[in-house]
Amino acid sequence: MNSSLLLFMKFIKITIMLACVLNMPRVMAQSPVLTAGNIETVTIGSQDITFKCGNVYGKITVYNPSIIRVRLDKKPLDDDFSYAVVGEPQKTKTTIIQNNETITLETDSVKAIIQKEPFSIAFYTPNGELINEDEHGLTTSWVGTAVTTYKKLQDNEHFVGLGEKIGNLDRAGNGYMNWNSDVYGYSVTQDPLYSTIPFYIGIHHNINYGIFLDNTYQTDFNFGASNNRFSSFGARGGEMNYYFIYHKRLADIITSYTYLTGRMPLPPLWSLGYQQNRYSYYPQAEVMRIARTLREKRIPADGITLDIHYMDQYQLFTWNNSRFPNPVLMNDTLKKLGFRTTVIVDPGIKVAKGAPAYESGLRDDVYIKYPDGQAYTGQVWPGWCNFTDFTSQKGRNWWHKQIKFFAESGVSGIWNDMNEISTWGQKMPDNVLFDYDGHLTTHLQAHNVYGMQMARSSYEGAVEQFKERPFILSRSGYAGLQRYTAIWTGDNRAEDDHMLQGVRLLNSLGLSGVSFTAMDIGGFTGNPSIPLYTRWIQLGAFIPYFRNHTSLNSKASEPWTFGEDVLDIARNYISLRYQLLPYLYSTFYESTQNGIPVMRSLAINYTFDPKVLYPDYQNQYEFGDAFMISPFESGKDYGKVYFPEGIWYDLYTDSVQAGKQNKVIQLNINKLTVYVKGSSIIPMQSLVQSTAILPTDTLTIHIYNGKKNNSFIYYEDDGKSFQYQKGEYYKRKITFNPSNRNIMFNDAEGNYTSHFKFIRLILHGFDQVNNLSLESGSSKLENISYAFLSAAANTDPQGSASVAEACQVKCVVIKNNSNKININY
């Protein structure tokens, strides 16, 4: 071989090696992050577009004029299935325009502009104001099976909602994970907690919007944590599937969200009364002692709750015969005393050959399984257990039948616990299989929805077996849980920061579509101080579900166990709650109609007032539309209160504060700081010791003078049956029009006859008004002194008798009828 040929061959070899080296960085630089890419094909429908990008498939749908749904996946989109969404798409006038660069979908409420190269989406008002947009360069991408959508962080953007999440009311600067967890005695910085509601509301530049990520895998939200570029939301599996909601008013965003995910049913009236709980009340004689003591000490109450010690060795659908020898007689006696019984249930069925529930579950093949067909077994209170697959219709039907056990025992409420799923070790394997209603999946996808489906099963079974409205409570849940259950915030601590954190948790749940909420009054773990218990029991009167609960081996936490002074304060506030039941029940009715919560963050009605999100004022909230509650730590002597726009009356004295200002006030352990909004309408009744007892036949209507027109929907029915669904209700709109100096009771609607034969009008702030003009003639107003709380008991033999704080008001009594009542002043 000559030298020229050798040189040529070496040159070729070097060239090949150099090419390989030069190509290596290209291979190594291939990104592990998969982006959507450019839109390549588009199919346009009447109110949707279906498209294919370089790496993903997508569909964007106008769900109704204010909701746009976005779906993206690396593979062709799966069948549409959701445990959360029950609202159907509405036929909507939609304009869709496509050009080489963009696709525009527009309704009369919102506009979406989709960029084609690369794919991204931005939302605008009809006037062209930017609401929300993808972060350019990031948009939506996948890392392995995890998918995340990145949104450009707007200047001074705030975020609220996301359900049961700790921290400040404003989520800005923080990140959160959704993976339902059993977190006994959790800290006030702990995340995640027990439930998952992947819905939040963004606020900026006098604009607000909502985003609901409907994905039951573990989800993660970042509201500018560790970055100043984006907010983001994503899931560890499944598709990117979110609903974008825009309205001018934040309240309307909640209404649209609950249009999607459903609204709560009317609760039984007894569940709005005071509930006495403990882990645990037993034996049967102790339960009766607690009930009779409540009556003897004139503490109004409607519920006694039994924890796991009522069961035989903690096995479901059993009674411990030595502790509860006659549960039917006990529950019947409690009903005669005006109490309803709620019992705890867990999802685990003890593996015990011959046990009726266990054997029945085996026969009906209802337990979750490993891939090899063996039932999954986890350890909880009874020992080793199998677990009902509540994501299958077969499993839910089986559970419905088991609820008959409680119906036959005289039980009225079901408390679903440990349904995250919780097992000792807290490490259920990923490969456990769930039916997922015909979409077979693993624990990774089913975990977050399991608790909600258990609550659903309990609700459906109780409706079927109890033959009246049941009360259902759950520790865990997913978006849409409000259709079936109330929820409480789990195993909190007897500490001041837990009391205030609990307020924010309930306000956040309300912002996330859940109205029927609770925290354990007094704290579940630990022992509250006397001042802390006092503050908490006062606060409980203004919480949707009023539940006093404490743990095993803690001190007793009934109101009388903290001394006579605390007993007197507790009795005062529990009694006030019972007098407010017409207002509270009507407010719950409102929630069934529009999803607006009973316990309302100030961000709902004062969204663009920046002070409502300040840490100093974030614990303030409205209870219905009339009351503003300002809770403080038990040891404080002074506190700062912010008064939003309007006129505000001190509940106890009627002293008036102008809005748009903050004020330092002196605190008093004997009373909770409560204000009433000007123009409010508040119906009240006489005091009863139980909702099983009828109040007197006079309905008191408090009207507070103000500058704004206001209305209130008063609602009444039998409080227990489903007859209201057949028209057996009494509903009436009451309006106050200060500019026309008019109060109007509209014609009553419905076929139910109101219990109240008379209306007692009490006017606050009407100092110059002495007469009312009705169609029947003129009525002279009586000047009276009105106290919302009774005077404190005189327990100190050397002290002087206390005098109740009172308001100087005007009063008149008129006959109630179903026809329009027109009153001028």
Side-chain angles (χ1 to χ4, degrees):
M1 187 179 294
N2 60 44
S3 59
S4 297
L5 182 59
L6 285 171
L7 286 171
F8 177 74
M9 291 178 68
K10 286 181 180 181
F11 173 76
I12 293 297
K13 185 176 181 180
I14 292 169
T15 301
I16 292 170
M17 290 175 64
L18 183 61
C20 290
V21 171
L22 290 173
N23 280 324
M24 282 179 65
R26 293 184 186 178
V27 174
M28 292 174 64
Q30 184 176 354
S31 175
V33 178
L34 180 72
T35 59
N38 299 336
I39 292 180
E40 297 173 348
T41 62
V42 179
T43 302
I44 297 177
S46 59
Q47 57 188 71
D48 61 49
I49 63 167
T50 305
F51 55 93
K52 170 71 172 66
C53 295
N55 296 317
V56 305
Y57 298 81
K59 185 173 185 177
I60 299 174
T61 305
V62 171
Y63 216 78
N64 71 18
S66 299
I67 303 175
I68 294 178
R69 182 184 184 188
V70 179
R71 298 180 69 192
L72 300 166
D73 205 348
K74 293 186 292 183
K75 57 182 176 57
L77 299 176
D78 288 333
D79 293 341
D80 201 5
F81 175 75
S82 172
Y83 282 113
V85 175
V86 293
E88 296 290 335
Q90 298 174 328
K91 187 173 182 180
T92 303
K93 181 182 177 183
T94 306
T95 301
I96 302 178
I97 300 172
Q98 179 181 199
N99 59 36
N100 291 335
E101 289 81 31
T102 64
I103 309 165
T104 301
L105 293 84
E106 186 169 6
T107 74
D108 60 6
S109 299
V110 65
K111 176 167 59 176
I113 299 179
I114 298 98
Q115 298 290 332
K116 290 184 174 181
E117 296 184 0
F119 167 83
S120 71
I121 186 168
F123 299 93
Y124 296 85
T125 70
N127 296 329
E129 297 173 283
L130 177 65
I131 307 170
N132 174 270
E133 65 177 329
D134 286 355
E135 169 59 23
H136 299 292
L138 300 179
T139 64
T140 298
S141 60
W142 282 258
V143 177
T145 60
V147 57
T148 304
T149 291
Y150 298 87
K151 297 291 186 179
K152 182 176 176 59
L153 201 58
Q154 302 299 316
D155 293 336
N156 200 32
E157 188 165 13
H158 304 280
F159 304 91
V160 296
L162 209 64
E164 189 185 46
K165 292 298 176 187
I166 50 78
N168 289 328
L169 182 65
D170 184 1
R171 308 296 185 195
N174 292 286
Y176 300 90
M177 178 175 76
N178 285 319
W179 183 255
N180 296 350
S181 302
D182 179 355
V183 283
Y184 174 81
Y186 56 91
S187 74
V188 293
T189 59
Q190 192 160 343
D191 182 70
L193 298 183
Y194 302 93
S195 64
T196 290
I197 305 179
F199 167 67
Y200 71 88
I201 296 169
I203 304 166
H204 66 87
H205 301 99
N206 288 335
I207 288 173
N208 45 210
Y209 65 90
I211 287 179
F212 168 45
L213 172 62
D214 188 11
N215 185 311
T216 61
Y217 283 92
Q218 177 186 315
T219 52
D220 296 273
F221 288 75
N222 184 319
F223 299 113
S226 304
N227 87 94
N228 62 357
R229 181 180 178 184
F230 62 81
S231 62
S232 67
F233 49 90
R236 297 301 176 94
E239 68 179 43
M240 174 52 63
N241 173 29
Y242 72 91
Y243 295 80
F244 182 85
I245 306 171
Y246 170 69
H247 286 282
K248 293 180 180 179
R249 297 173 61 246
L250 189 150
D252 294 331
I253 293 173
I254 297 174
T255 296
S256 280
Y257 168 74
T258 55
Y259 163 75
L260 284 174
T261 60
R263 296 174 185 137
M264 66 172 295
L266 266 174
L269 183 60
W270 68 264
S271 67
L272 307 190
Y274 175 68
Q275 314 291 314
Q276 188 64 58
N277 301 9
R278 182 177 176 85
Y279 171 40
S280 282
Y281 285 135
Y282 70 92
Q284 186 169 319
E286 173 67 1
V287 175
M288 298 311 302
R289 182 188 73 83
I290 294 294
R292 291 194 172 100
T293 306
L294 286 163
R295 292 289 175 254
E296 290 166 4
K297 295 187 179 294
R298 296 180 294 107
I299 302 170
D302 268 82
I304 300 283
T305 301
L306 305 181
D307 213 308
I308 58 174
H309 293 89
Y310 78 88
M311 304 179 204
D312 182 14
Q313 298 181 0
Y314 312 124
Q315 294 183 69
L316 274 181
F317 312 118
T318 66
W319 287 94
N320 184 309
N321 292 329
S322 62
R323 292 171 177 166
F324 294 88
N326 197 334
V328 175
L329 176 62
M330 178 189 73
N331 290 326
D332 184 59
T333 305
L334 287 170
K335 279 185 181 178
K336 290 175 182 176
L337 289 171
F339 292 96
R340 297 296 190 108
T341 307
T342 297
V343 297
I344 197 170
V345 296
D346 296 340
I349 305 295
K350 181 177 175 60
V351 176
K353 291 190 179 299
Y358 171 69
E359 295 291 351
S360 173
L362 281 180
R363 286 193 302 272
D364 288 7
D365 188 27
V366 300
Y367 301 132
I368 55 177
K369 297 183 178 69
Y370 287 106
D372 64 1
Q374 181 175 322
Y376 166 71
T377 307
Q379 197 171 19
V380 280
W381 301 114
W384 292 103
C385 293
N386 293 155
F387 296 84
T388 307
D389 187 353
F390 296 111
T391 72
S392 74
Q393 189 61 58
K394 181 169 61 174
R396 293 192 294 271
N397 288 342
W398 179 82
W399 191 262
H400 298 168
K401 290 185 290 185
Q402 307 312 307
I403 299 298
K404 185 178 180 181
F405 172 84
F406 297 120
E408 292 175 341
S409 300
V411 166
S412 300
I414 299 175
W415 166 21
N416 300 266
D417 197 22
M418 305 288 287
N419 54 343
E420 290 76 26
I421 302 171
S422 175
T423 57
W424 304 159
Q426 308 300 333
K427 200 67 178 175
M428 178 178 284
D430 293 346
N431 64 348
V432 176
L433 298 177
F434 295 75
D435 181 72
Y436 213 76
D437 279 274
H439 306 78
L440 187 66
T441 193
T442 69
H443 177 230
L444 294 175
Q445 187 176 19
H447 176 89
N448 279 341
V449 83
Y450 185 84
M452 173 200 185
Q453 291 305 294
M454 180 184 179
R456 170 189 177 180
S457 303
S458 293
Y459 175 77
E460 292 172 345
V463 168
E464 179 183 325
Q465 303 289 350
F466 291 1
K467 309 302 181 186
E468 64 178 14
R469 289 181 233 171
F471 170 69
I472 307 296
L473 182 65
S474 182
R475 191 169 74 177
S476 184
Y478 181 71
L481 68 90
Q482 65 271 9
R483 303 196 302 267
Y484 311 115
T485 184
I487 191 169
W488 98 105
T489 58
D491 299 338
N492 61 355
R493 301 182 190 176
E495 299 167 6
D496 275 287
D497 55 357
H498 262 265
M499 178 178 68
L500 297 181
Q501 179 69 78
V503 168
R504 296 196 296 279
L505 287 172
L506 302 191
N507 284 339
S508 183
L509 283 162
L511 284 160
S512 309
V514 184
S515 284
F516 208 177
T517 56
M519 59 175 157
D520 287 347
I521 300 301
F524 180 68
T525 71
N527 297 296
S529 66
I530 289 175
L532 175 57
Y533 182 86
T534 303
R535 278 284 179 248
W536 221 329
I537 201 82
Q538 292 168 340
L539 191 60
F542 296 93
I543 284 175
Y545 182 59
F546 193 176
R547 162 188 163 107
N548 183 335
H549 190 44
T550 192
S551 179
L552 190 71
N553 298 323
S554 64
K555 293 180 181 178
S557 194
E558 295 80 30
W560 57 85
T561 62
F562 290 85
E564 290 297 322
D565 290 339
V566 176
L567 170 61
D568 190 56
I569 293 167
R571 183 191 295 118
N572 251 335
Y573 277 89
I574 296 170
S575 296
L576 176 59
R577 168 131 174 158
Y578 273 75
Q579 291 170 280
L580 284 169
L581 281 174
Y583 170 82
L584 182 56
Y585 194 57
S586 297
T587 302
F588 267 95
Y589 169 76
E590 178 191 4
S591 192
T592 69
Q593 301 302 296
N594 60 20
I596 302 303
V598 172
M599 190 168 169
R600 303 172 182 176
S601 162
L602 296 186
I604 293 178
N605 287 327
Y606 307 96
T607 311
F608 305 119
D609 183 338
K611 286 192 175 180
V612 303
L613 297 179
Y614 284 11
D616 283 349
Y617 311 120
Q618 65 179 345
N619 298 319
Q620 293 179 214
Y621 66 94
E622 291 185 290
F623 190 64
D625 193 51
F627 297 100
M628 182 175 74
I629 317 300
S630 300
F632 294 99
E633 295 94 331
S634 59
K636 279 198 171 181
D637 296 320
Y638 293 88
K640 289 172 65 176
V641 176
Y642 178 66
F643 298 93
E645 180 183 6
I647 298 170
W648 298 91
Y649 292 77
D650 183 292
L651 174 66
Y652 312 104
T653 66
D654 267 0
S655 63
V656 176
Q657 301 288 341
K660 301 290 288 184
Q661 65 169 324
N662 54 274
K663 187 174 181 180
V664 175
I665 63 166
Q666 187 171 2
L667 304 176
N668 185 333
I669 196 63
N670 293 323
K671 64 179 185 179
L672 184 68
T673 306
V674 182
Y675 296 92
V676 181
K677 189 189 307 181
S679 299
S680 289
I681 301 166
I682 303 172
M684 295 180 67
Q685 66 181 25
S686 63
L687 177 61
V688 292
Q689 293 298 302
S690 163
T691 60
I693 303 168
L694 287 175
T696 65
D697 62 0
T698 300
L699 179 69
T700 299
I701 304 289
H702 293 263
I703 297 180
Y704 286 77
N705 206 354
K707 297 179 180 179
K708 291 186 176 182
N709 294 350
N710 191 28
S711 63
F712 184 87
I713 303 298
Y714 172 76
Y715 181 85
E716 186 182 342
D717 60 23
D718 66 17
K720 57 185 179 181
S721 77
F722 291 98
Q723 288 301 111
Y724 71 91
Q725 296 174 348
K726 300 176 182 178
E728 290 294 319
Y729 59 83
Y730 178 94
K731 183 170 70 170
R732 191 170 211 170
K733 185 177 184 180
I734 307 169
T735 59
F736 170 58
N737 187 331
S739 57
N740 292 338
R741 299 175 66 86
N742 176 260
I743 299 166
M744 177 78 74
F745 290 74
N746 286 9
D747 292 333
E749 301 175 34
N751 301 322
Y752 188 79
T753 301
S754 175
H755 164 72
F756 299 103
K757 304 298 186 291
F758 299 94
I759 295 171
R760 184 190 189 203
L761 272 180
I762 294 184
L763 305 180
H764 299 253
F766 291 81
D767 297 343
Q768 306 307 313
V769 178
N770 296 307
N771 294 281
L772 298 182
S773 176
L774 292 84
E775 292 181 4
S776 58
S778 179
S779 293
K780 184 175 177 58
L781 290 168
E782 179 184 359
N783 293 300
I784 66 168
S785 180
Y786 185 90
F788 283 95
L789 300 179
S790 299
N794 186 19
T795 58
D796 182 357
Q798 295 182 322
S800 57
S802 62
V803 178
E805 287 186 300
C807 312
Q808 301 307 309
V809 297
K810 307 289 181 105
C811 172
V812 68
V813 177
I814 60 176
K815 284 187 176 181
N816 188 20
N817 59 60
S818 296
N819 300 322
K820 183 182 293 184
I821 304 173
N822 189 31
I823 304 169
N824 294 302
Y825 61 90

